[in-house]
Amino acid sequence: MLNPVTMRLFWDSVHQAPAHQIRNLDDEGLMSWLVEQVMQRSMLDSHQRHDLHQYISGRLLLVREIAAES
């Protein structure tokens, strides 16, 4: 399960990401890029990275909708 700090870092990364970056990546590329954005701000072990990847995969449509609105 994703902890609240990592979740906040993820959503902060989504909101700070250039919209073209989100639109130009395929799903796997976007998930990897977003995981990297969070990892630049927080040390994640392999289980936390897996949990974050799973969390992102269930929210890709929302992430893309946020990018489309900006």
Side-chain angles (χ1 to χ4, degrees):
M1 180 145 157
L2 205 59
N3 71 50
V5 171
T6 304
M7 195 178 303
R8 280 193 293 274
L9 288 172
F10 164 71
W11 286 111
D12 187 49
S13 296
V14 169
H15 288 286
Q16 289 183 9
H20 72 275
Q21 180 76 27
I22 292 173
R23 286 190 295 258
N24 290 339
L25 292 169
D26 64 11
D27 287 352
E28 192 60 41
L30 179 55
M31 286 189 285
S32 296
W33 186 80
L34 287 167
V35 168
E36 279 299 314
Q37 297 306 299
V38 173
M39 288 181 59
Q40 289 178 9
R41 299 169 64 188
S42 178
M43 297 294 291
L44 300 177
D45 64 30
S46 61
H47 296 291
Q48 291 168 318
R49 280 194 305 272
H50 175 75
D51 289 347
L52 178 58
H53 199 273
Q54 292 301 110
Y55 181 82
I56 294 170
S57 70
R59 287 152 184 88
L60 280 177
L61 183 59
L62 179 57
V63 168
R64 292 190 186 282
E65 286 177 8
I66 289 169
E69 290 176 357
S70 54

